């Protein structure tokens, strides 16, 4: 494992913490949304947006940017929090999440939100779009890298595997996928709903370079991304073991927090746990 | 107001070319002048004729295998990165099988994806109902941001392909498998959203798209022998539809017949009727498939079986004229409508 400077790790951890704080604030203010799967991918997003990706938030249309696709679109609050923290739009705007007229729709909308590369929400479609972008980058001889985050439950969608074949067939080594393997989906555990069985073996059988990582370990995420850059001729997937609701004790591992907003008291409690100083007594919460 | 277009001289022997054949050729021509054009297909390149492009520009052609969902998603990604993808497959798959992908990744995003849908309607023939798309117009026109074009012949297809590439945004191009008469000359003018008046007339207007344009012209000739003057509009763009041409037709001819190789529910006739009822209500008779699936058979047999001939248009025109105010009793027109 490459060595990374402690201060760099601390910076990224702080970004991840801030992403989590803003996920809670935004969903609390909206009164609806998906906290569990947003919190589970916060560390991966923090590494991507504050370390790995070549981006310029002041120029979201910059041709040579790296691109991130949130295929599990219901984790939009995590994406928005990362984008805001990176400077694509003001952090205060996060409190407009899911409100009429807001740029921050319930699921990512590329036409409305700066930094959103493609609209998602209907599961299973992000990897295909990522393939298209990776193919275009190769056609244009750009060294752009494309990152895509999939949910574990999302892997039940057949299109994911159509796309997984395409990524390999087209030798898209400029593409890296993450599976946010938090083990839970709306109707229960992924194991009970429709077991993925040996998920890493599945990707490997499709021809991908596969890594298994702890999706909350900043160093492991960074190492995986660095390793993926060295892999030539095929795409890489990091199957990231994560905890749904990570960072908020009463949400962790709770299937009920897939698509439920915390109430005022729960927001307060969550923010305290996340080390946020409550200035306004949790006044970000509706009602 | 629609402009009067030139129909090829009747004396000449009618040449027949399938619109899918014209599609393949047009893609190659387009590829020569526009390096951003890329083409995808889902293991039907030989049939959709996108294979012509594959031969000409192998680096810009992407065989996606039997995976239409992935094809549309990949096309969206390519478009998001500045390419102009033409994603080709049969209409039944392009609109039906991948409706959600088209809705989410193309319509909602308003990305510059062109869907080249061939083998539309019952004229697919022997393959039968599983492959005969009778609902794709309805599906595609219900998606916000989508433009729907149904070319009538080879010339119009070629022009529609270029116009689609010129226009920024999602386009659904509906084409057929069977050879159809070449109706237009090379100087035929095509503009998205602008109907072309092929024949003027004062008693009734036949508004047709796609393979029904040729029988509409035949019907107008037959009607003229009965002393009925029928206007013929080629409404190649189903969406956005030319409201002005429809309203003018309603005002000037007082009766309308629509003709489509598609279910009359939600399709082209419905699109015309939506305009008529909200502007100047006049009788509308719809020639189309009466809410049933197709079956195996020869294309000509199927057109006959499902009531999609010039003779059916003539009958519909008579009914529409009979329903004009003061021309028939309500009871009689109700009866005749049931035919």
């Amino acid at each position: 494992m490459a060595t990374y400077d402690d201060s760099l790790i601390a910076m990224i951890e702080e970004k991840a913490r801030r992403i989590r704080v803003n996920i809670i604030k935004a969903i609390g203010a909206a009164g609806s949304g998906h906290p569990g799967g947003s919190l589970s991918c916060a560390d991966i997003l923090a590494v991507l947006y504050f370390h790995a990706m070549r981006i310029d938030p002041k120029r979201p249309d910059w041709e040579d940017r790296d691109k991130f696709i949130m295929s599990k679109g219901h984790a939009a609050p995590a994406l928005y929090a990362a984008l805001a923290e990176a400077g694509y739009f003001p952090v205060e705007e996060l409190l407009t999440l899911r409100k009429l007229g807001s740029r921050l729709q319930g699921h990512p909308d590329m036409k409305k939100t700066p930094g959103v590369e493609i609209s998602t929400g209907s599961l299973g479609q992000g990897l295909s779009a990522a393939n298209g972008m990776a193919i275009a980058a190769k056609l244009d001889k750009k060294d752009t890298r494309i990152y895509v985050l999939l949910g574990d439950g999302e892997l039940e969608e057949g299109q994911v595997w159509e796309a997984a074949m395409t990524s390999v067939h087209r030798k898209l080594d400029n593409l890296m996928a993450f599976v946010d393997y938090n083990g839970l989906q709306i109707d229960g555990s992924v194991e009970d709903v429709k077991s993925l069985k040996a998920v890493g073996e599945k990707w490997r059988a499709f021809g991908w370079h596969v890594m298994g990582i702890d999706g909350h370990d900043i160093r492991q995420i960074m190492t995986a991304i660095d390793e993926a850059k060295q892999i030539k001729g095929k795409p890489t997937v990091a199957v990231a073991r994560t905890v749904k609701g990570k960072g908020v004790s009463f949400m962790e591992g709770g299937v009920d927090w897939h698509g439920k907003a915390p109430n005022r008291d729960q927001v307060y409690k969550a923010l305290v746990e996340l080390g946020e100083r409550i200035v306004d007594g949790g006044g970000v919460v509706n009602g | 107001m629609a402009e009067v277009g030139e129909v090829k001289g009747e004396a000449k022997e009618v040449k027949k070319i399938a619109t899918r054949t014209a599609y393949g050729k047009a893609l190659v021509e387009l590829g020569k002048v526009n390096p951003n054009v890329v083409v995808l297909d889902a293991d039907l390149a030989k049939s959709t004729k996108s294979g012509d492009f594959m031969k000409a520009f192998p680096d810009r052609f992407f065989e996606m295998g039997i995976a239409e969902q992935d094809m549309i998603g990949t096309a969206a990604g390519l478009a998001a990165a500045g390419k102009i993808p033409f994603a080709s497959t049969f209409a039944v798959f392009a609109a039906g099988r991948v409706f959600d992908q088209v809705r989410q990744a193309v319509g909602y995003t308003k990305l510059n994806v062109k869907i080249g849908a061939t083998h539309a309607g019952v004229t697919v023939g022997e393959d039968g109902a599983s492959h005969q798309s009778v609902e794709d117009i309805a599906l595609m026109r219900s998606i916000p941001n989508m433009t729907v074009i149904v070319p009538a012949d080879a010339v119009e297809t070629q022009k529609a392909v270029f116009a689609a590439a010129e226009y920024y945004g999602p386009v659904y191009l509906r084409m057929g498998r069977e050879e159809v008469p070449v109706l237009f000359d090379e100087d035929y003018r095509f503009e998205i959203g602008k109907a072309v008046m092929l024949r003027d007339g004062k008693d009734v207007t036949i508004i047709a798209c796609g393979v029904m344009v040729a029988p509409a012209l035949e019907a107008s000739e037959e009607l003229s022998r009965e002393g009925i003057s029928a206007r013929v509009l080629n409404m190649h763009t189903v969406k956005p539809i030319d409201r002005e041409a429809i309203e003018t037709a309603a005002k000037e001819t007082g009766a309308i017949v629509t003709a489509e190789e598609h279910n009359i529910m939600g399709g082209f006739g419905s699109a015309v009727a939506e305009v008529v009822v909200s502007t100047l209500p006049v009788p509308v008779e719809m020639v189309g498939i009466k809410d049933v699936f197709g079956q195996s058979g020869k294309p000509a047999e199927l057109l006959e079986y499902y009531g999609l001939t010039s003779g059916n248009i003539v009958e519909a025109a008579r009914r529409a004229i009979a329903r004009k105010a003061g021309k028939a009793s309500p009871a009689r027109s109700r009866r005749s409508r049931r035919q």
Side-chain angles (χ1 to χ4, degrees):
Chain A
M1 189 182 286
T3 51
Y4 300 104
D5 190 69
D6 284 346
S7 63
L8 174 63
I9 302 296
M11 181 277 284
I12 296 170
E13 282 174 345
E14 171 59 12
K15 293 296 185 188
R17 188 191 70 82
R18 291 202 48 74
I19 288 171
R20 288 195 165 90
V21 163
N22 283 321
I23 288 168
I24 295 297
K25 284 184 177 175
I27 296 176
S32 70
H34 299 83
S38 296
L39 293 167
S40 65
C41 63
D43 299 298
I44 295 168
L45 289 184
V47 174
L48 285 170
Y49 277 93
F50 299 98
H51 173 65
M53 288 205 298
R54 183 174 67 194
I55 51 172
D56 181 355
K58 297 297 164 223
R59 289 186 295 160
D61 295 332
W62 179 34
E63 276 196 3
D64 294 325
R65 71 191 183 278
D66 290 343
K67 296 175 181 175
F68 172 75
I69 290 151
M70 179 64 93
S71 190
K72 44 172 275 185
H74 55 276
L79 175 59
Y80 297 154
L83 290 172
E85 193 65 31
Y88 285 87
F89 51 83
V91 172
E92 301 76 57
E93 199 171 331
L94 291 170
L95 299 182
T96 69
L97 175 69
R98 289 177 165 245
K99 293 197 163 72
L100 185 65
S102 172
R103 294 198 290 181
L104 307 181
Q105 294 291 295
H107 294 80
D109 180 347
M110 65 181 290
K111 299 195 307 302
K112 290 197 164 75
T113 315
V116 170
E117 297 291 351
I118 197 144
S119 309
T120 49
S122 180
L123 291 171
Q125 302 191 22
L127 183 55
S128 296
N131 284 338
M133 292 177 194
I135 291 169
K138 284 194 178 277
L139 278 175
D140 294 339
K141 303 195 179 355
K142 288 187 182 300
D143 62 354
T144 302
R145 290 191 65 77
I146 314 294
Y147 297 93
V148 56
L149 182 83
L150 301 131
D152 48 0
E154 183 179 14
L155 302 186
E156 291 157 12
E157 288 280 7
Q159 187 183 345
V160 171
W161 302 103
E162 293 182 6
M165 289 173 75
T166 296
S167 320
V168 171
H169 188 70
R170 297 281 161 201
K171 301 183 171 63
L172 301 179
D173 51 15
N174 52 350
L175 174 78
M176 181 178 188
F178 288 91
V179 175
D180 181 5
Y181 200 176
N182 62 37
L184 297 173
Q185 59 190 107
I186 296 177
D187 280 350
S189 74
V190 175
E191 193 55 32
D192 288 343
V193 173
K194 188 184 267 194
S195 174
L196 297 170
K197 296 295 179 191
V199 65
E201 287 307 309
K202 280 191 167 71
W203 288 97
R204 201 166 285 120
F206 273 70
W208 286 63
H209 178 67
V210 184
M211 286 178 265
I213 61 169
D214 177 345
H216 301 306
D217 183 318
I218 301 295
R219 278 194 169 82
Q220 283 193 35
I221 299 166
M222 292 163 80
T223 305
I225 290 169
D226 285 347
E227 186 180 319
K229 287 178 182 167
Q230 305 307 316
I231 303 296
K232 298 298 169 200
K234 58 171 149 179
T236 294
V237 60
V239 178
R241 271 287 176 186
T242 56
V243 175
K244 200 150 181 167
K246 176 73 176 178
V248 178
S249 63
F250 57 92
M251 290 185 178
E252 284 188 3
V255 72
D256 290 345
W257 288 101
H258 171 88
K260 186 177 75 172
N263 63 28
R264 192 188 177 88
D265 291 344
Q266 290 163 332
V267 167
Y268 186 87
K269 204 174 154 208
L271 293 180
V272 170
E273 281 190 20
L274 289 166
E276 185 71 350
R277 285 181 55 227
I278 310 295
V279 183
D280 56 1
V284 295
V285 185
N286 272 345
Chain B
M1 180 60 206
E3 53 189 290
V4 179
E6 277 292 303
V7 181
K8 293 196 104 176
E10 284 147 35
K12 274 190 252 171
E13 198 181 324
V14 182
K15 207 163 90 179
K16 288 183 127 189
I17 302 173
T19 47
R20 61 172 168 144
T21 303
Y23 174 64
K25 286 187 171 26
L27 288 179
V28 174
E29 288 172 45
L30 182 63
K32 286 177 190 161
V33 296
N34 193 332
N36 268 330
V37 169
V38 295
V39 175
L40 303 88
D41 207 303
D43 199 38
L44 289 171
K46 287 193 184 81
S47 301
T48 66
K49 302 300 178 188
S50 74
D52 295 356
F53 189 93
M54 171 175 62
K55 289 191 195 90
F57 306 101
D59 296 343
R60 287 193 273 150
F61 178 85
F62 300 96
E63 172 59 79
M64 301 304 294
I66 309 167
E68 295 82 7
Q69 304 178 75
D70 183 41
M71 175 174 74
I72 294 297
T74 305
L78 283 158
K83 302 296 170 194
I84 308 173
F86 279 72
S88 318
T89 184
F90 291 176
V92 74
F93 308 132
R97 182 165 188 126
V98 293
F99 179 80
D100 186 55
Q101 283 72 20
V102 174
R103 178 188 185 273
Q104 307 281 353
V106 179
Y108 181 44
T109 57
K110 212 176 176 180
L111 281 167
N112 202 18
V113 175
K114 318 301 171 186
I115 300 168
T118 66
H119 295 63
V122 290
T123 48
V124 166
E126 290 82 349
D127 275 356
S130 64
H131 284 56
Q132 294 166 347
S133 176
V134 298
E135 58 290 281
D136 56 312
I137 293 176
L139 288 168
M140 290 296 104
R141 81 183 194 88
S142 71
I143 297 177
N145 298 329
M146 184 63 75
T147 292
V148 180
I149 301 174
V150 188
D153 79 342
V155 173
E156 189 163 72
T157 301
Q158 194 265 354
K159 299 201 182 259
V161 166
F162 274 76
E166 191 75 18
Y167 163 82
Y168 187 93
V171 176
Y172 180 79
L173 282 163
R174 184 188 210 237
M175 293 157 294
R177 169 178 185 262
E178 270 297 284
E179 291 186 344
V180 289
V182 176
L183 302 171
F184 310 120
D185 286 319
E186 288 304 324
D187 56 1
Y188 172 77
R189 279 195 295 169
F190 176 91
E191 192 184 329
I192 292 174
K194 196 132 176 78
V196 180
M197 191 195 291
L198 302 178
R199 292 270 161 78
D200 201 357
K202 58 182 179 15
D203 299 326
V204 63
T205 300
I206 303 165
I207 308 181
C209 66
V211 302
M212 296 306 289
V213 172
L217 286 165
E218 287 169 29
S220 78
E221 279 169 40
E222 204 173 320
L223 287 164
S224 74
R225 287 194 283 273
E226 298 177 16
I228 296 171
S229 162
R231 177 179 297 184
V232 178
L233 286 182
N234 171 20
M235 190 68 72
H236 49 68
T237 308
V238 178
K239 184 185 175 185
I241 205 158
D242 188 342
R243 299 178 64 91
E244 198 187 340
I246 297 170
E247 196 177 343
T248 305
K251 193 159 74 185
E252 293 179 356
T253 70
I256 287 172
V257 172
T258 62
E260 65 194 299
E261 190 199 11
H262 183 278
N263 194 347
I264 53 169
M265 291 199 180
F268 173 66
S270 301
V272 171
E274 286 162 15
V275 177
V276 173
V277 296
S278 61
T279 53
L280 185 65
V282 296
V284 175
E285 290 286 333
M286 295 185 192
V287 173
I289 296 161
K290 311 288 193 297
D291 200 27
V292 291
F293 288 106
Q295 61 178 307
S296 292
K298 291 193 169 63
E301 293 172 340
L302 293 166
L303 289 172
E304 182 90 31
Y305 185 89
Y306 291 104
L308 305 172
T309 65
S310 61
N312 297 113
I313 297 172
V314 167
E315 287 165 24
R318 290 191 197 120
R319 290 199 302 272
I321 291 167
R323 284 174 54 204
K324 284 192 196 181
K327 290 252 175 146
S329 72
R332 189 182 156 195
S333 55
R334 263 205 303 279
R335 207 166 38 244
S336 62
R337 270 207 303 282
R338 220 173 285 137
Q339 287 177 352

